[in-house]
Amino acid sequence: MAFNEIVKMHEDLDRALRKPVSKRSWVMVIDVRKCVGDRACVVACMAENVCPPGTSYRWVFETEFRGYPNLDKFYMPGNCQHCDNPPCMKAANKLKNGTIKKRPDGIVVFDYEKLKKSPDAREAAKKACPYYAIVDDNGGYYTDNTPILEPYETRTFYEDNERLTRKKTKGTIRKCTFCLHRLESGMIPACVSTCIGRAMYFGDKSDPKSLVSELIKKEDVWNPKAKLGTKPRVYYIGYKDRANIATSTSATCQVCHQ
Ligand code: SF4
Ligand code: SF4
């Protein structure tokens, strides 16, 4: 992703924000050819969302295939897939209504207050998610047992446009929010803006002129668990090209890294 693609994503975002929420359709596109496995996205997400110790809304799996001397290794970043048919929502809401909701723009949101009151709904949601995208907030801090809790752990932060502190999220389950608070302020998600391999894209799929729509139309898209019928909103591209990339020369890096 070149600099002009970041500008384009922000222009796409501006256009989307001028439409009613129900007309927006947020999706993420991840190009596995470009992920360099540095995990800057993971750190950015943890900082943005003040994640509890030992947890992250994001992961970057390392994948290897073929053997020596043709070993190929690549990285698969991921987060909550904001499924259009979310198993977490079905499982949790069966036990306590309204704990998990699907917004008209596609984002799956948790109601922390309702989830705090229902351990069964929390467990059911975690078990039902085929992507293992849900984490517990058990209330601990990285700086527990030190002279003071560091301000970066006790600061306020925003999720789903709600002002929070860790005190409010203690005792619930959490996950990626597609950085809704940033989107509605005209900024792309923290993980997308931080990616140094420029492997991640975000935008409005209902806008045919958006960069994400162009990529989804142009590329073969794939999702590791699409067969489960969850209808994920995270699209992986560049997956089929892995075999070619593995045997390519350094000059072909220009294909992806403009
Ligand atoms: S990825 Fe998991 S947590 Fe996210 S919407 Fe789908 S089932 Fe729910
Ligand atoms: S979109 Fe935001 S909340 Fe979701 S993984 Fe990226 S940084 Fe984390």
Side-chain angles (χ1 to χ4, degrees):
M1 186 199 313
F3 175 70
N4 60 2
E5 291 182 316
I6 294 182
V7 172
K8 178 155 173 48
M9 279 193 284
H10 278 100
E11 289 168 354
D12 295 348
L13 197 56
D14 282 348
R15 260 195 328 279
L17 292 175
R18 277 187 241 125
K19 299 194 292 188
V21 175
S22 60
K23 302 282 182 204
R24 303 172 198 155
S25 179
W26 299 126
V27 298
M28 186 178 276
V29 176
I30 300 177
D31 190 335
V32 299
R33 292 167 295 202
K34 295 185 182 178
C35 178
V36 295
D38 63 296
R39 294 176 175 80
C41 60
V42 176
V43 176
C45 178
M46 288 163 74
E48 179 78 22
N49 297 294
V50 192
C51 289
T55 70
S56 170
Y57 293 174
R58 297 190 57 70
W59 58 85
V60 181
F61 292 136
E62 291 184 30
T63 308
E64 283 181 5
F65 72 103
R66 300 196 305 208
Y68 175 84
N70 297 312
L71 181 69
D72 187 17
K73 181 171 184 170
F74 66 99
Y75 301 93
M76 285 285 294
N79 46 273
C80 167
Q81 312 276 301
H82 295 275
C83 311
D84 281 347
N85 183 22
C88 63
M89 187 168 91
K90 283 188 202 158
N93 288 359
K94 211 185 277 176
L95 296 163
K96 188 163 177 65
N97 202 23
T99 50
I100 300 181
K101 290 184 190 140
K102 181 85 176 157
R103 286 170 45 98
D105 55 12
I107 298 182
V108 173
V109 292
F110 284 2
D111 184 319
Y112 287 160
E113 289 311 312
K114 285 188 178 167
L115 281 164
K116 271 189 200 180
K117 290 179 192 147
S118 180
D120 290 348
R122 297 199 298 271
E123 281 312 304
K126 279 195 297 178
K127 268 195 200 137
C129 173
Y131 298 92
Y132 308 104
I134 300 172
V135 300
D136 283 305
D137 190 333
N138 293 326
Y141 294 91
Y142 284 102
T143 49
D144 272 340
N145 305 318
T146 64
I148 55 158
L149 291 178
E150 289 294 334
Y152 68 81
E153 296 208 83
T154 54
R155 72 172 176 86
T156 52
F157 58 100
Y158 292 85
E159 275 189 9
D160 305 333
N161 292 332
E162 200 186 336
R163 194 165 189 252
L164 298 168
T165 63
R166 286 288 316 291
K167 280 187 185 157
K168 286 194 181 170
T169 59
K170 178 184 175 179
T172 189
I173 50 173
R174 300 172 58 183
K175 65 160 193 68
C176 159
T177 61
F178 264 0
C179 279
L180 176 62
H181 61 292
R182 287 176 62 98
L183 301 179
E184 299 209 331
S185 304
M187 292 182 287
I188 55 176
C191 54
V192 179
S193 67
T194 311
C195 175
I196 67 159
R198 304 278 166 85
M200 297 181 52
Y201 303 86
F202 194 88
D204 178 10
K205 187 168 169 262
S206 70
D207 175 358
K209 289 187 188 151
S210 68
L211 184 55
V212 287
S213 293
E214 285 172 9
L215 289 167
I216 290 168
K217 197 171 160 202
K218 188 173 84 178
E219 302 267 358
D220 284 325
V221 294
W222 180 80
N223 184 282
K225 295 190 177 169
K227 281 188 190 146
L228 298 177
T230 54
K231 300 192 180 154
R233 281 179 174 265
V234 177
Y235 296 84
Y236 290 89
I237 61 173
Y239 187 80
K240 286 186 181 168
D241 296 337
R242 288 307 309 172
N244 296 331
I245 295 279
T247 53
S248 64
T249 67
S250 56
T252 56
C253 289
Q254 304 254 338
V255 174
C256 303
H257 298 273
Q258 301 158 30

mmCIF file of all heavy atoms in Angstrom, residues 164-185:
data_model
loop_
_atom_site.group_PDB
_atom_site.id
_atom_site.type_symbol
_atom_site.label_atom_id
_atom_site.label_comp_id
_atom_site.label_asym_id
_atom_site.label_seq_id
_atom_site.Cartn_x
_atom_site.Cartn_y
_atom_site.Cartn_z
ATOM 1 N N LEU A 164 -14.680 4.837 28.295
ATOM 2 C CA LEU A 164 -14.470 3.741 29.244
ATOM 3 C C LEU A 164 -13.170 3.912 30.013
ATOM 4 O O LEU A 164 -12.285 4.656 29.594
ATOM 5 C CB LEU A 164 -14.385 2.407 28.486
ATOM 6 C CG LEU A 164 -15.602 1.945 27.692
ATOM 7 C CD1 LEU A 164 -15.229 0.773 26.787
ATOM 8 C CD2 LEU A 164 -16.729 1.535 28.628
ATOM 9 N N THR A 165 -13.066 3.185 31.115
ATOM 10 C CA THR A 165 -11.769 2.923 31.738
ATOM 11 C C THR A 165 -11.751 1.419 31.994
ATOM 12 O O THR A 165 -12.783 0.749 31.893
ATOM 13 C CB THR A 165 -11.594 3.652 33.085
ATOM 14 O OG1 THR A 165 -12.576 3.146 33.984
ATOM 15 C CG2 THR A 165 -11.710 5.146 32.938
ATOM 16 N N ARG A 166 -10.605 0.893 32.372
ATOM 17 C CA ARG A 166 -10.511 -0.540 32.653
ATOM 18 C C ARG A 166 -11.446 -0.953 33.791
ATOM 19 O O ARG A 166 -11.882 -2.101 33.856
ATOM 20 C CB ARG A 166 -9.070 -0.921 32.989
ATOM 21 C CG ARG A 166 -8.109 -0.958 31.824
ATOM 22 C CD ARG A 166 -8.345 -2.154 30.904
ATOM 23 N NE ARG A 166 -8.572 -3.401 31.610
ATOM 24 C CZ ARG A 166 -7.656 -4.065 32.321
ATOM 25 N NH1 ARG A 166 -6.418 -3.628 32.394
ATOM 26 N NH2 ARG A 166 -7.946 -5.182 32.936
ATOM 27 N N LYS A 167 -11.779 -0.002 34.688
ATOM 28 C CA LYS A 167 -12.711 -0.345 35.775
ATOM 29 C C LYS A 167 -14.060 -0.768 35.200
ATOM 30 O O LYS A 167 -14.747 -1.620 35.745
ATOM 31 C CB LYS A 167 -12.904 0.866 36.696
ATOM 32 C CG LYS A 167 -11.769 1.039 37.683
ATOM 33 C CD LYS A 167 -12.074 2.124 38.677
ATOM 34 C CE LYS A 167 -10.854 2.340 39.554
ATOM 35 N NZ LYS A 167 -10.809 3.654 40.162
ATOM 36 N N LYS A 168 -14.450 -0.137 34.079
ATOM 37 C CA LYS A 168 -15.751 -0.451 33.477
ATOM 38 C C LYS A 168 -15.725 -1.740 32.671
ATOM 39 O O LYS A 168 -16.763 -2.343 32.415
ATOM 40 C CB LYS A 168 -16.205 0.693 32.566
ATOM 41 C CG LYS A 168 -16.674 1.910 33.323
ATOM 42 C CD LYS A 168 -17.418 2.838 32.386
ATOM 43 C CE LYS A 168 -17.867 4.072 33.139
ATOM 44 N NZ LYS A 168 -18.381 5.111 32.246
ATOM 45 N N THR A 169 -14.548 -2.154 32.229
ATOM 46 C CA THR A 169 -14.506 -3.370 31.395
ATOM 47 C C THR A 169 -14.132 -4.618 32.211
ATOM 48 O O THR A 169 -14.213 -5.731 31.691
ATOM 49 C CB THR A 169 -13.501 -3.213 30.227
ATOM 50 O OG1 THR A 169 -12.203 -2.957 30.753
ATOM 51 C CG2 THR A 169 -13.899 -2.095 29.295
ATOM 52 N N LYS A 170 -13.758 -4.402 33.473
ATOM 53 C CA LYS A 170 -13.396 -5.548 34.327
ATOM 54 C C LYS A 170 -14.590 -6.493 34.475
ATOM 55 O O LYS A 170 -15.708 -6.053 34.754
ATOM 56 C CB LYS A 170 -12.970 -5.039 35.709
ATOM 57 C CG LYS A 170 -12.626 -6.131 36.684
ATOM 58 C CD LYS A 170 -12.309 -5.563 38.048
ATOM 59 C CE LYS A 170 -12.085 -6.688 39.028
ATOM 60 N NZ LYS A 170 -11.745 -6.205 40.365
ATOM 61 N N GLY A 171 -14.335 -7.773 34.252
ATOM 62 C CA GLY A 171 -15.390 -8.766 34.470
ATOM 63 C C GLY A 171 -16.252 -9.019 33.240
ATOM 64 O O GLY A 171 -17.298 -9.654 33.326
ATOM 65 N N THR A 172 -15.800 -8.530 32.100
ATOM 66 C CA THR A 172 -16.586 -8.829 30.896
ATOM 67 C C THR A 172 -15.678 -9.485 29.847
ATOM 68 O O THR A 172 -14.520 -9.819 30.132
ATOM 69 C CB THR A 172 -17.272 -7.557 30.339
ATOM 70 O OG1 THR A 172 -18.179 -7.947 29.302
ATOM 71 C CG2 THR A 172 -16.278 -6.545 29.804
ATOM 72 N N ILE A 173 -16.232 -9.705 28.672
ATOM 73 C CA ILE A 173 -15.424 -10.213 27.559
ATOM 74 C C ILE A 173 -15.298 -9.096 26.530
ATOM 75 O O ILE A 173 -16.172 -8.234 26.441
ATOM 76 C CB ILE A 173 -16.025 -11.494 26.928
ATOM 77 C CG1 ILE A 173 -17.519 -11.297 26.609
ATOM 78 C CG2 ILE A 173 -15.793 -12.702 27.820
ATOM 79 C CD1 ILE A 173 -18.141 -12.456 25.835
ATOM 80 N N ARG A 174 -14.215 -9.124 25.771
ATOM 81 C CA ARG A 174 -13.949 -8.029 24.844
ATOM 82 C C ARG A 174 -13.439 -8.574 23.509
ATOM 83 O O ARG A 174 -13.007 -9.716 23.430
ATOM 84 C CB ARG A 174 -12.909 -7.080 25.460
ATOM 85 C CG ARG A 174 -13.382 -6.475 26.759
ATOM 86 C CD ARG A 174 -12.297 -5.678 27.472
ATOM 87 N NE ARG A 174 -11.754 -4.593 26.661
ATOM 88 C CZ ARG A 174 -10.759 -3.806 27.046
ATOM 89 N NH1 ARG A 174 -10.194 -3.984 28.235
ATOM 90 N NH2 ARG A 174 -10.320 -2.854 26.259
ATOM 91 N N LYS A 175 -13.453 -7.729 22.517
ATOM 92 C CA LYS A 175 -12.956 -8.113 21.180
ATOM 93 C C LYS A 175 -12.806 -6.870 20.328
ATOM 94 O O LYS A 175 -13.216 -5.784 20.740
ATOM 95 C CB LYS A 175 -13.905 -9.120 20.521
ATOM 96 C CG LYS A 175 -15.260 -8.519 20.234
ATOM 97 C CD LYS A 175 -15.996 -9.304 19.194
ATOM 98 C CE LYS A 175 -17.186 -8.521 18.691
ATOM 99 N NZ LYS A 175 -16.851 -7.324 17.926
ATOM 100 N N CYS A 176 -12.279 -7.068 19.135
ATOM 101 C CA CYS A 176 -12.123 -5.979 18.156
ATOM 102 C C CYS A 176 -13.454 -5.294 17.878
ATOM 103 O O CYS A 176 -14.487 -5.957 17.751
ATOM 104 C CB CYS A 176 -11.551 -6.569 16.867
ATOM 105 S SG CYS A 176 -11.821 -5.584 15.387
ATOM 106 N N THR A 177 -13.420 -3.987 17.767
ATOM 107 C CA THR A 177 -14.629 -3.202 17.470
ATOM 108 C C THR A 177 -14.577 -2.571 16.073
ATOM 109 O O THR A 177 -15.398 -1.715 15.756
ATOM 110 C CB THR A 177 -14.755 -2.062 18.493
ATOM 111 O OG1 THR A 177 -13.587 -1.236 18.365
ATOM 112 C CG2 THR A 177 -14.851 -2.590 19.919
ATOM 113 N N PHE A 178 -13.599 -2.977 15.260
ATOM 114 C CA PHE A 178 -13.305 -2.303 13.981
ATOM 115 C C PHE A 178 -12.965 -0.829 14.245
ATOM 116 O O PHE A 178 -13.117 0.013 13.358
ATOM 117 C CB PHE A 178 -14.456 -2.410 12.979
ATOM 118 C CG PHE A 178 -14.329 -3.542 11.962
ATOM 119 C CD1 PHE A 178 -13.238 -4.406 11.947
ATOM 120 C CD2 PHE A 178 -15.318 -3.735 10.993
ATOM 121 C CE1 PHE A 178 -13.150 -5.440 11.000
ATOM 122 C CE2 PHE A 178 -15.229 -4.757 10.044
ATOM 123 C CZ PHE A 178 -14.142 -5.604 10.054
ATOM 124 N N CYS A 179 -12.562 -0.525 15.506
ATOM 125 C CA CYS A 179 -12.211 0.858 15.864
ATOM 126 C C CYS A 179 -13.313 1.852 15.493
ATOM 127 O O CYS A 179 -13.044 2.931 14.923
ATOM 128 C CB CYS A 179 -10.890 1.277 15.229
ATOM 129 S SG CYS A 179 -9.436 0.696 16.118
ATOM 130 N N LEU A 180 -14.537 1.497 15.850
ATOM 131 C CA LEU A 180 -15.682 2.351 15.517
ATOM 132 C C LEU A 180 -15.480 3.799 15.968
ATOM 133 O O LEU A 180 -15.857 4.743 15.265
ATOM 134 C CB LEU A 180 -16.936 1.754 16.174
ATOM 135 C CG LEU A 180 -18.220 2.536 16.026
ATOM 136 C CD1 LEU A 180 -18.629 2.680 14.566
ATOM 137 C CD2 LEU A 180 -19.343 1.867 16.806
ATOM 138 N N HIS A 181 -14.865 3.966 17.150
ATOM 139 C CA HIS A 181 -14.657 5.332 17.672
ATOM 140 C C HIS A 181 -13.744 6.134 16.750
ATOM 141 O O HIS A 181 -13.915 7.338 16.595
ATOM 142 C CB HIS A 181 -14.069 5.270 19.086
ATOM 143 C CG HIS A 181 -12.738 4.597 19.163
ATOM 144 N ND1 HIS A 181 -12.565 3.247 18.942
ATOM 145 C CD2 HIS A 181 -11.502 5.092 19.392
ATOM 146 C CE1 HIS A 181 -11.283 2.951 19.054
ATOM 147 N NE2 HIS A 181 -10.608 4.053 19.327
ATOM 148 N N ARG A 182 -12.776 5.475 16.129
ATOM 149 C CA ARG A 182 -11.879 6.166 15.194
ATOM 150 C C ARG A 182 -12.601 6.434 13.867
ATOM 151 O O ARG A 182 -12.507 7.517 13.316
ATOM 152 C CB ARG A 182 -10.621 5.320 14.934
ATOM 153 C CG ARG A 182 -9.644 5.293 16.098
ATOM 154 C CD ARG A 182 -8.479 4.359 15.802
ATOM 155 N NE ARG A 182 -7.692 4.763 14.654
ATOM 156 C CZ ARG A 182 -6.547 5.454 14.711
ATOM 157 N NH1 ARG A 182 -6.049 5.799 15.889
ATOM 158 N NH2 ARG A 182 -5.902 5.778 13.614
ATOM 159 N N LEU A 183 -13.339 5.412 13.384
ATOM 160 C CA LEU A 183 -14.043 5.571 12.104
ATOM 161 C C LEU A 183 -14.938 6.802 12.140
ATOM 162 O O LEU A 183 -14.934 7.618 11.223
ATOM 163 C CB LEU A 183 -14.920 4.345 11.802
ATOM 164 C CG LEU A 183 -14.234 2.986 11.700
ATOM 165 C CD1 LEU A 183 -15.263 1.902 11.421
ATOM 166 C CD2 LEU A 183 -13.164 3.000 10.618
ATOM 167 N N GLU A 184 -15.697 6.915 13.241
ATOM 168 C CA GLU A 184 -16.667 8.001 13.305
ATOM 169 C C GLU A 184 -15.997 9.346 13.554
ATOM 170 O O GLU A 184 -16.639 10.379 13.497
ATOM 171 C CB GLU A 184 -17.747 7.656 14.328
ATOM 172 C CG GLU A 184 -18.446 6.373 13.865
ATOM 173 C CD GLU A 184 -19.882 6.212 14.260
ATOM 174 O OE1 GLU A 184 -20.251 6.754 15.313
ATOM 175 O OE2 GLU A 184 -20.619 5.519 13.534
ATOM 176 N N SER A 185 -14.688 9.328 13.817
ATOM 177 C CA SER A 185 -13.916 10.583 13.889
ATOM 178 C C SER A 185 -13.115 10.787 12.604
ATOM 179 O O SER A 185 -12.219 11.637 12.559
ATOM 180 C CB SER A 185 -12.954 10.541 15.079
ATOM 181 O OG SER A 185 -13.641 10.287 16.261
#
